[in-house]
Amino acid sequence: GLAFLLGYFNNQLEEQFDTIERQQITSQVERLGTSLSLAINKKLFLVTSLRAFIEAKATHEELHNEHELERFSANLYKNINGIRNIALGRDGVIHFVYPYEENKSVLGYEPAKDTRPHVVAEVQRAIESRVVIISLPNDLIQGGLGIIARQAIFVDENYWGLANIVVDVQPLLEEAGIIPLPEGLNLALKDQSGNVFFGDESVFIGEPIIFDIPLPEDSWVLAVTPANGWGTGYQSVLWFYRSLFMLIMLILPITVYLSINRKERLKEKVAEKTRDLTETLLVLEENKEHFKKIIAQSPISMVITDEKGDI
């Protein structure tokens, strides 16, 4: 009946609007995820450039030329936003950092002897794999949340030390368009270990759209949902179509009834006119017969003519 049709129509509408909404959110997620990947890759290029510079200058005389190293680091630093510092660790001990004044507290730091096991593991993987290793988001020695990109430096196949780039997380997310939070969206990011380091963890249980941010070893996971929940964005439009459908379903029977009723009334009028005409003809016929009898019985001769005088 009407309830079944209304339910079916409502389900079809909700499925269509849900598909459209998820496609729109997916498009936004892909844009944000791609932007974040590009922002991260810019930082990876810096640490690779630093490693290549050291390996190319690996003579005792050249490596003692701090001014050349400082100029090279300054050029890297000024061209990329969101870099906290550029550092070198000869034999695993940080002995050079740029810019110096606000980062001098890291001098003498030995990442391989950090009290946090995951930091020690990251350094070990950098040495063993020789690829860029991105740390988990950490509270930095200098303060603030950051990530560290590390790559081992080898000279004549002998381990020399580490190239390090420290990246602030907030400028990285700002560059990707994740901060400030896009209007109408809830976002969250998980690091390589599966911990949420940005946004609310509840986003991951709200049927989110997922985008993997590739890293050299693993990936971050970006999750996005509508800020007010799925389906809320199109409820007003859905209500309009529901109301329109109900109006049509109410008007349609009335229209059909009026159409059928009009036909029936027309038939009745035709039948009534036919009956009246038939009765009139019968009366005329009776009058004609009666008139003939009167003429036949009359003692006076009578002639009946038409208007032209014809008999």
Side-chain angles (χ1 to χ4, degrees):
L2 181 60
F4 172 80
L5 286 175
L6 182 59
Y8 177 79
F9 179 76
N10 186 66
N11 290 338
Q12 292 297 309
L13 273 181
E14 285 188 342
E15 287 179 9
Q16 290 185 20
F17 280 118
D18 182 65
T19 299
I20 292 170
E21 184 179 37
R22 294 191 77 87
Q23 287 174 345
Q24 291 173 341
I25 299 294
T26 298
S27 177
Q28 291 178 280
V29 172
E30 289 175 350
R31 177 178 57 78
L32 293 170
T34 301
S35 296
L36 182 55
S37 296
L38 290 173
I40 291 172
N41 285 331
K42 287 181 182 178
K43 281 60 177 179
L44 299 186
F45 172 75
L46 291 184
V47 74
T48 301
S49 298
L50 182 60
R51 174 196 59 79
F53 176 82
I54 297 300
E55 290 181 351
K57 298 288 183 178
T59 67
H60 292 291
E61 296 79 9
E62 289 174 321
L63 286 177
H64 281 92
N65 188 346
E66 292 287 331
H67 293 297
E68 186 177 2
L69 179 58
E70 188 169 340
R71 283 196 301 272
F72 180 79
S73 299
N75 285 330
L76 292 180
Y77 183 84
K78 72 180 182 181
N79 289 325
I80 303 293
N81 294 327
I83 301 300
R84 176 69 66 88
N85 67 56
I86 297 169
L88 284 171
R90 181 73 183 265
D91 295 324
V93 181
I94 302 298
H95 70 284
F96 170 84
V97 65
Y98 182 90
Y100 171 77
E101 199 59 43
E102 54 265 50
N103 296 287
K104 59 186 178 182
S105 60
V106 303
L107 294 176
Y109 169 61
E110 297 181 67
K113 294 182 180 180
D114 197 291
T115 56
R116 294 166 293 184
H118 66 85
V119 175
V120 177
E122 289 162 5
V123 172
Q124 190 62 36
R125 291 201 309 276
I127 296 170
E128 292 175 355
S129 68
R130 301 196 182 190
V131 300
V132 179
I133 301 299
I134 295 182
S135 73
L136 298 172
N138 292 305
D139 292 325
L140 301 173
I141 294 174
Q142 312 94 312
L145 185 66
I147 57 173
I148 304 173
R150 298 184 176 94
Q151 190 169 26
I153 301 171
F154 287 83
V155 177
D156 296 328
E157 292 302 313
N158 296 312
Y159 174 63
W160 183 89
L162 288 173
N164 303 268
I165 302 291
V166 180
V167 181
D168 278 317
V169 168
Q170 180 163 331
L172 184 68
L173 300 182
E174 288 174 353
E175 183 179 343
I178 292 174
I179 296 177
L181 200 65
E183 185 178 356
L185 298 180
N186 278 336
L187 295 99
L189 278 164
K190 281 184 179 179
D191 63 23
Q192 307 94 302
S193 67
N195 293 319
V196 175
F197 68 93
F198 175 79
D200 194 323
E201 192 169 2
S202 64
V203 175
F204 281 91
I205 59 174
E207 299 181 358
I209 303 296
I210 297 295
F211 190 95
D212 289 331
I213 313 296
L215 303 176
E217 286 186 303
D218 206 330
S219 63
W220 288 352
V221 179
L222 172 64
V224 179
T225 61
N228 297 319
W230 292 106
T232 57
Y234 58 78
Q235 284 303 312
S236 59
V237 179
L238 187 59
W239 179 86
F240 170 77
Y241 280 108
R242 283 173 182 160
S243 301
L244 182 61
F245 178 77
M246 290 181 67
L247 182 62
I248 291 171
M249 294 307 294
L250 288 172
I251 291 175
L252 185 60
I254 295 172
T255 304
V256 172
Y257 169 77
L258 290 175
S259 177
I260 293 173
N261 187 258
R262 183 173 177 275
K263 289 180 180 178
E264 290 299 325
R265 283 186 286 122
L266 185 60
K267 285 181 182 179
E268 288 180 4
K269 285 184 178 181
V270 170
E272 184 181 348
K273 294 295 183 182
T274 302
R275 286 195 301 272
D276 291 345
L277 181 59
T278 302
E279 290 175 359
T280 301
L281 290 174
L282 288 174
V283 170
L284 289 174
E285 188 64 32
E286 289 177 359
N287 290 337
K288 178 182 176 182
E289 292 300 323
H290 180 66
F291 190 63
K292 283 181 180 180
K293 290 179 180 179
I294 292 174
I295 292 173
Q297 296 173 1
S298 175
I300 303 171
S301 297
M302 303 178 77
V303 177
I304 300 175
T305 64
D306 57 22
E307 293 177 354
K308 294 179 181 181
D310 295 329
I311 296 176

